[in-house]
Amino acid sequence: MDLKERVKDSINALNLPLKCFLGYLDDKHDPELRLQMLPGSNVIEVDYAGNKTEQYLMEAIMRGSDEGLINQVLWQITNALGDNDFRIISKDGSFVFLTLEIASFPHPTMADTTGTITYVFDFKITVDTFEK
């Protein structure tokens, strides 16, 4: 399923001052923006043909030394993903987008002694997937 890739592409289409990548922070760039799939995703419903409605928990995480930039970027992403008109389309036909719900607004989770700050925000995305 190409769900993570399509969400990442929609974030990168916002023309932010940095690119979003999949996976965990690697501490090689300042600033750094990542998209992660979180544990706790679940199946909401399964029909007789094996098609499923599934909800995935995702997190945008940004780390850097410029807290103002981090706030600006994450709020821009939050506003775009939380818009009622937000849609994504699978390129491989593996899912059909249903809804996206912002679960937490951007907030700091860590600051270290070098002045680097980490912010995150979480969201839930619900899709239909199909038995092949």
Side-chain angles (χ1 to χ4, degrees):
M1 179 168 48
D2 65 337
L3 178 61
K4 290 184 297 189
E5 290 81 6
R6 300 298 70 84
V7 174
K8 175 187 62 82
D9 290 348
S10 68
I11 291 171
N12 285 330
L14 298 173
N15 296 316
L16 302 170
L18 71 160
K19 290 195 78 77
C20 180
F21 295 98
L22 296 177
Y24 295 98
L25 297 171
D26 62 15
D27 202 21
K28 294 181 181 174
H29 303 91
D30 183 357
E32 182 177 13
L33 175 62
R34 298 289 180 146
L35 179 67
Q36 303 171 0
M37 189 84 73
L38 298 174
S41 301
N42 61 15
V43 175
I44 297 171
E45 185 177 20
V46 180
D47 69 14
Y48 290 113
N51 303 316
K52 300 174 187 172
T53 299
E54 299 179 80
Q55 185 175 73
Y56 292 92
L57 305 176
M58 300 182 88
E59 177 175 77
I61 183 166
M62 188 168 172
R63 182 177 190 277
S65 55
D66 185 344
E67 190 170 5
L69 176 67
I70 294 170
N71 266 306
Q72 173 204 354
V73 168
L74 288 182
W75 275 104
Q76 190 174 349
I77 296 168
T78 302
N79 290 334
L81 296 183
D83 188 292
N84 288 335
D85 293 328
F86 176 81
R87 300 283 180 271
I88 53 175
I89 298 172
S90 174
K91 286 188 177 178
D92 64 8
S94 58
F95 71 87
V96 171
F97 173 83
L98 297 175
T99 63
L100 188 145
E101 176 186 340
I102 302 298
S104 73
F105 291 115
H107 61 278
T109 59
M110 184 172 58
D112 64 25
T113 57
T114 66
T116 302
I117 302 161
T118 304
Y119 271 66
V120 300
F121 85 90
D122 302 323
F123 57 96
K124 301 173 188 178
I125 190 164
T126 306
V127 297
D128 281 338
T129 59
F130 308 101
E131 186 68 29
K132 298 212 184 231

